[in-house]
Amino acid sequence: MLERGIVEKVIAVNRKARHDYFLEEFIEAGLELTGTEIKSVRKGHVQFKEAYVDFIGNEAFIRDMHIAQYDHGNIFNHEETRLRKLLLHRHEIVKLRRAVSVKGYTVVPTRMYLKNGLAKLEIALA
């Protein structure tokens, strides 16, 4: 349930993940995006059919998430499927990494939304 004063706008939903996997635990993560990426996200040009979360060092990244190039971008426009850092607490990263390595789970994105103007990604253990 949303608290008073929080505005949420759903950008994209990964229906394939709900169909292909048994989703157990959902976590909200922030995304480290460039200027043209957030403009494209606000327009709704996001797909994450084949996207998944990968762990490098002590950080979590999302791979293969497609954010279309911004129409009015210039030479500094972003790559469409680049590696993007997820903003999570350390204990959340440790917990997810342990589930992936020990229990054989995978972590997939289920939903992207704007929460008070910030891009958020809902990820789930699958």
Side-chain angles (χ1 to χ4, degrees), residues 69-83:
Q69 288 194 349
Y70 185 57
D71 300 345
H72 304 292
N74 54 18
I75 60 169
F76 300 110
N77 223 339
H78 62 275
E79 284 184 45
E80 294 177 339
T81 57
R82 74 177 185 88
L83 195 64

Side-chain angles (χ1 to χ4, degrees), residues 17-121:
R18 293 188 184 275
H19 182 266
D20 291 348
Y21 300 104
F22 178 71
L23 304 177
E24 287 189 14
E25 185 175 340
F26 296 89
I27 296 175
E28 178 183 80
L31 282 162
E32 191 175 272
L33 300 174
T34 63
T36 55
E37 283 176 326
I38 190 65
K39 289 177 182 181
S40 190
V41 165
R42 286 189 175 128
K43 286 184 136 191
H45 300 287
V46 178
Q47 292 179 354
F48 39 74
K49 250 185 231 180
E50 303 296 323
Y52 64 96
V53 175
D54 194 11
F55 300 98
I56 302 170
N58 292 327
E59 298 177 330
F61 295 89
I62 183 137
R63 289 191 181 271
D64 298 335
M65 182 172 71
H66 183 273
I67 298 177
Q69 288 194 349
Y70 185 57
D71 300 345
H72 304 292
N74 54 18
I75 60 169
F76 300 110
N77 223 339
H78 62 275
E79 284 184 45
E80 294 177 339
T81 57
R82 74 177 185 88
L83 195 64
R84 294 174 179 91
K85 184 177 178 181
L86 293 179
L87 305 175
L88 292 165
H89 292 284
R90 183 160 316 278
H91 65 88
E92 292 172 328
I93 294 172
V94 168
K95 182 174 156 184
L96 291 173
R97 176 182 273 193
R98 186 174 300 133
V100 168
S101 64
V102 174
K103 299 177 185 174
Y105 285 93
T106 188
V107 183
V108 293
T110 56
R111 189 168 65 114
M112 179 180 258
Y113 53 95
L114 294 174
K115 185 175 179 182
N116 288 341
L118 301 174
K120 301 289 183 178
L121 188 68

